Amino acid sequence: MKVLQRKEQSSPGQAPGIFPSQFDDLVPVALSLTTTDEERNALLASIVSKSANPSISIQANEYRSGPDPTSKATFRKTLLKGLRKGWQDVATEARFVRLVEVLQSDGCAVFAGLVDAASFQQLIDDFSNIMNSSGSHAFLHSFAHLTEHPDFLKNPIYNDAMIHPLLIAMMAYAMGGPVRMTDARGKDTEPISVNAQDNMLHIDNTPFREEYKILLGWEKGQVKGPTGQNFTFLPGTHKGNRPIRVDEHSQHWSTENDSLFITDESIESVFAFQGDITGHNPKVIEVEYPEQPITVLFSAGSLVHHRYRNCGGNTRSCVIAAFHLASDHPGALVHSEVVGTPQSVAEILVGYHDGTEVEAFCSLISLKASAIESKISEILNKDHQSTLVDTGNLTLSGEKFDRWRETVINAPSATRIKFEGGNYISFADNSISRDLLVKKLAAAMAYDKHGLLDLIIYMDGHEEIRKPARKSVWTMPREKIAQILAAWIPAVEGYKFTTTDVQKPALLRHKADKVARLLRESFPTVDFASAGSSREEQQLTSAHQLIGDLGESITRCEKLETYITTNLFLFLIIDQNIPLLDWTLRQRVIGTCAVFLRAYIACVLVVENNQDI
């Protein structure tokens, strides 16, 4: 493993604590903050920016990169030529193309029962073991990084439910090139109505390149389809693209909020686009299919969709895998110790791929031609468990449509649910027990880290580097947050919070940029423009990118909730990386990190005092 090299190495061994240990039971701190209307309005004006106006248009498609039409056509011919050699029925090719047309017409194809019940039960058992041991168990959902469990993804007993060769062939054909898996996660989602990060009506990833996803969903613990928290999408919306911005240097960029549709105006604009494309009235499909576990293949980077969180139905379990063209995003999901050519579809999807070995990719998929043909035949056989779900029968109408729209716009935020659970950090006395202070802050942070971020999206896609660091905060359990906070109590000890702790966004951006610069200067041999080769380098480069992008985004907060969540993320991700620094720099970064912690606490206190904000 490559060892990170600093300009000045600190002494070996475990990094010292952030602050000296404190043993007093009571912590003197003023956890209350009262503001006048004038102060509140001035604060809002200083940190809240004008809201974006999300929309979709055909014109914006010109900014989406990828293979040119000739390259796509050549790849498709190569893929079909290889598959054709292994197909026995001359009608199979037309049937395959017809399935691809369903995907390309709606932006989504929904299958059910791709593996038998016994195999799926084994999947459930293994998935449950992973979630019990590795799940985050947060209020929003329990989340597990399946990249840390490659044997689950590669298990031939049941992985056809997630990555059947038919699905991969359809996806690659539609995208026009070899694909690779870039992310895999597992989730258990209980019934709850909430507008929180990764949960709202949205388009995934980036407007500058394609992303497809495969979602495998089932009722938790049961070999049946989900009956709540269902995948929901707006067919046809994948044929447009979200707005593209231009900076002062004529560089194109976008933001995450540009693809969130959670207002009347933005939803109407989506429906108007959908009507122009399809010639039909607004159409929303909720994939509720309790008969069998479902496998959804969809154009995640283009299709307007979400997980419809509400209080109905039962807990849903799911596996979500993301796929990019390997030429757009070279790399590996799992770094294999095995040398040589991949021997299975799973191995080529999770191993290193840069899109140059087109023949090798097509050859490996073609080796599965018989399995693809058999599955197509089974799907067309009405008596077989495997089926293509007719999503037209799942269209929302009447009261169900009205209830969906009301939920999309007015479901409570993570902040509101936090307050409904009595999770306040305000405290009337001028001192508080150390344990209670940690407990109150950790409880609040466990909700606030699920608030809305609005990070920048770059045309060249280098924001991909930040994803592991972001997930490390997003999935952090409350117990871990409490451990972190226990070391930071001296940063607020004897402190009286005021509105001046709600720092100006420009100052916070400067401080975030300074931390990112200190990381670069501390590790001059690390290439911060790449994801890194060792686990240490990956942690460092991902955190560096996230810190810089959080700093940029804090100047564009459209809500106080976003300001709160952004400061919290900056505090938690900087804390993770302080031990990597030498002693002198560590003290400087500790001081900066404390600024983000205090800004978070002060703004939460303002909101608690003025819940109408």
Side-chain angles (χ1 to χ4, degrees):
M1 177 181 291
K2 187 175 180 180
V3 178
L4 295 177
Q5 297 294 322
R6 306 187 186 94
K7 277 186 176 179
E8 301 177 15
Q9 292 288 342
S10 59
S11 57
Q14 193 71 20
I18 301 298
F19 292 98
S21 298
Q22 303 290 325
F23 299 98
D24 296 336
D25 289 331
L26 290 179
V27 177
V29 60
L31 284 175
S32 61
L33 203 160
T34 303
T35 58
T36 66
D37 290 345
E38 184 178 357
E39 289 173 326
R40 184 168 68 251
N41 291 335
L43 184 146
L44 284 168
S46 70
I47 65 175
V48 175
S49 302
K50 182 180 178 181
S51 296
N53 186 27
S55 61
I56 312 174
S57 71
I58 291 289
Q59 292 75 17
N61 282 329
E62 67 179 276
Y63 298 101
R64 199 185 302 278
S65 65
D68 60 74
T70 300
S71 298
K72 286 186 176 182
T74 300
F75 171 81
R76 288 165 180 161
K77 288 179 180 178
T78 302
L79 180 62
L80 278 179
K81 181 179 179 181
L83 289 171
R84 200 179 293 127
K85 292 177 180 178
W87 286 340
Q88 302 299 313
D89 190 336
V90 293
T92 299
E93 183 172 341
R95 293 165 179 167
F96 172 79
V97 172
R98 191 162 77 243
L99 288 175
V100 175
E101 288 173 349
V102 171
L103 175 63
Q104 293 179 318
S105 174
D106 288 347
C108 178
V110 181
F111 300 91
L114 291 186
V115 300
D116 61 73
S119 297
F120 203 90
Q121 184 61 58
Q122 183 62 56
L123 181 150
I124 290 174
D125 294 343
D126 290 353
F127 182 85
S128 298
N129 289 335
I130 291 171
M131 296 304 293
N132 290 336
S133 62
S134 307
S136 60
H137 306 291
F139 88 97
L140 185 63
H141 52 233
S142 187
F143 178 109
H145 297 284
L146 295 182
T147 53
E148 298 175 358
H149 304 275
D151 289 345
F152 176 81
L153 300 172
K154 295 179 181 180
N155 194 317
I157 295 174
Y158 48 67
N159 69 359
D160 275 353
M162 302 174 278
I163 52 172
H164 193 285
L166 171 62
L167 304 175
I168 306 307
M170 288 175 61
M171 183 196 307
Y173 187 92
M175 297 181 79
V179 299
R180 74 174 190 88
M181 192 184 297
T182 60
D183 186 33
R185 58 186 71 172
K187 290 182 181 179
D188 285 333
T189 52
E190 296 182 351
I192 185 174
S193 181
V194 59
N195 263 337
Q197 190 74 42
D198 198 39
N199 206 52
M200 306 175 187
L201 189 66
H202 69 285
I203 302 170
D204 278 326
N205 207 44
T206 173
F208 299 116
R209 58 196 49 81
E210 286 193 278
E211 177 179 82
Y212 273 65
K213 284 185 176 178
I214 294 176
L215 181 149
L216 172 65
W218 67 97
E219 183 177 324
K220 183 180 179 181
Q222 303 294 320
V223 184
K224 58 187 296 188
T227 58
Q229 323 311 305
N230 297 315
F231 177 79
T232 302
F233 70 100
L234 281 61
T237 53
H238 66 295
K239 296 185 178 180
N241 201 3
R242 69 198 90 168
I244 306 300
R245 307 186 189 205
V246 183
D247 66 16
E248 65 274 17
H249 304 295
S250 299
Q251 297 298 306
H252 297 101
W253 61 291
S254 187
T255 75
E256 293 177 336
N257 273 9
D258 285 339
S259 62
L260 278 182
F261 307 98
I262 54 175
T263 64
D264 271 317
E265 294 77 14
S266 62
I267 291 175
E268 279 303 316
S269 73
V270 171
F271 283 148
F273 175 82
Q274 186 187 44
D276 291 340
I277 288 293
T278 65
H280 300 303
N281 292 329
K283 188 173 184 179
V284 179
I285 293 174
E286 180 187 3
V287 185
E288 180 160 342
Y289 191 83
E291 290 89 340
Q292 295 188 92
I294 58 168
T295 303
V296 184
L297 171 60
F298 65 105
S299 180
S302 304
L303 184 70
V304 178
H305 67 280
H306 72 137
R307 181 170 57 254
Y308 180 16
R309 300 302 298 272
N310 57 67
C311 296
N314 297 313
T315 299
R316 184 192 79 167
S317 294
C318 71
V319 172
I320 308 169
F323 300 83
H324 294 174
L325 284 167
S327 57
D328 279 347
H329 187 185
L333 183 72
V334 177
H335 292 280
S336 175
E337 302 296 329
V338 179
V339 179
T341 305
Q343 299 300 308
S344 68
V345 172
E347 287 179 0
I348 200 170
L349 291 176
V350 304
Y352 182 82
H353 211 323
D354 60 9
T356 59
E357 297 184 357
V358 174
E359 292 288 346
F361 179 88
C362 290
S363 295
L364 188 55
I365 299 298
S366 297
L367 290 175
K368 301 296 181 181
S370 177
I372 292 172
E373 183 173 51
S374 294
K375 185 53 64 177
I376 292 174
S377 297
E378 291 168 359
I379 288 169
L380 297 177
N381 181 355
K382 294 182 180 180
D383 295 326
H384 196 275
Q385 67 192 23
S386 298
T387 186
L388 175 69
V389 177
D390 182 359
T391 57
N393 296 327
L394 304 176
T395 303
L396 296 178
S397 61
E399 290 184 4
K400 287 186 176 181
F401 177 87
D402 294 340
R403 187 160 55 247
W404 168 83
R405 181 164 180 156
E406 172 67 20
T407 301
V408 167
I409 297 171
N410 295 317
S413 65
T415 300
R416 178 55 53 195
I417 292 176
K418 176 183 69 172
F419 290 156
E420 289 175 354
N423 295 290
Y424 294 86
I425 65 173
S426 300
F427 198 71
D429 298 339
N430 289 323
S431 63
I432 184 173
S433 76
R434 191 173 303 277
D435 288 346
L436 181 58
L437 177 56
V438 168
K439 182 178 179 181
K440 287 170 74 70
L441 286 173
M445 289 179 175
Y447 286 88
D448 290 332
K449 68 186 177 72
H450 291 286
L452 184 63
L453 293 176
D454 184 23
L455 299 186
I456 188 171
I457 299 172
Y458 301 94
M459 192 169 189
D460 67 1
H462 70 266
E463 73 276 357
E464 287 287 335
I465 298 173
R466 73 185 178 219
K467 289 183 177 180
R470 183 176 186 170
K471 289 177 193 171
S472 73
V473 175
W474 197 36
T475 61
M476 191 178 292
R478 183 181 302 191
E479 295 76 16
K480 174 64 175 176
I481 296 174
Q483 291 175 9
I484 292 169
L485 286 169
W488 281 93
I489 294 304
V492 299
E493 192 163 357
Y495 203 79
K496 181 173 177 60
F497 286 92
T498 69
T499 54
T500 59
D501 292 303
V502 184
Q503 301 281 358
K504 297 290 192 296
L507 174 64
L508 294 172
R509 178 176 186 176
H510 172 73
K511 290 185 175 297
D513 287 344
K514 184 169 72 171
V515 173
R517 176 175 57 80
L518 290 174
L519 285 175
R520 291 194 302 273
E521 293 175 354
S522 297
F523 301 95
T525 63
V526 171
D527 179 9
F528 282 90
S530 69
S533 55
S534 70
R535 181 178 289 271
E536 283 181 308
E537 282 194 6
Q538 289 169 2
Q539 175 188 338
L540 184 65
T541 57
S542 184
H544 168 267
Q545 186 66 51
L546 180 61
I547 290 167
D549 290 349
L550 287 167
E552 186 280 330
S553 72
I554 207 164
T555 64
R556 297 183 289 97
C557 294
E558 298 177 5
K559 297 180 179 180
L560 272 183
E561 181 184 60
T562 303
Y563 179 90
I564 287 170
T565 300
T566 306
N567 274 290
L568 176 57
F569 262 72
L570 279 162
F571 164 66
L572 290 173
I573 193 59
I574 292 172
D575 169 83
Q576 284 186 28
N577 290 272
I578 286 175
L580 297 176
L581 300 171
D582 66 50
W583 179 256
T584 302
L585 290 183
R586 192 179 300 169
Q587 303 313 304
R588 292 170 61 184
V589 174
I590 284 171
T592 300
C593 197
V595 171
F596 293 117
L597 174 61
R598 290 167 182 159
Y600 163 78
I601 293 174
C603 199
V604 171
L605 291 173
V606 169
V607 173
E608 288 183 359
N609 185 248
N610 303 276
Q611 290 188 38
D612 58 327
I613 290 182

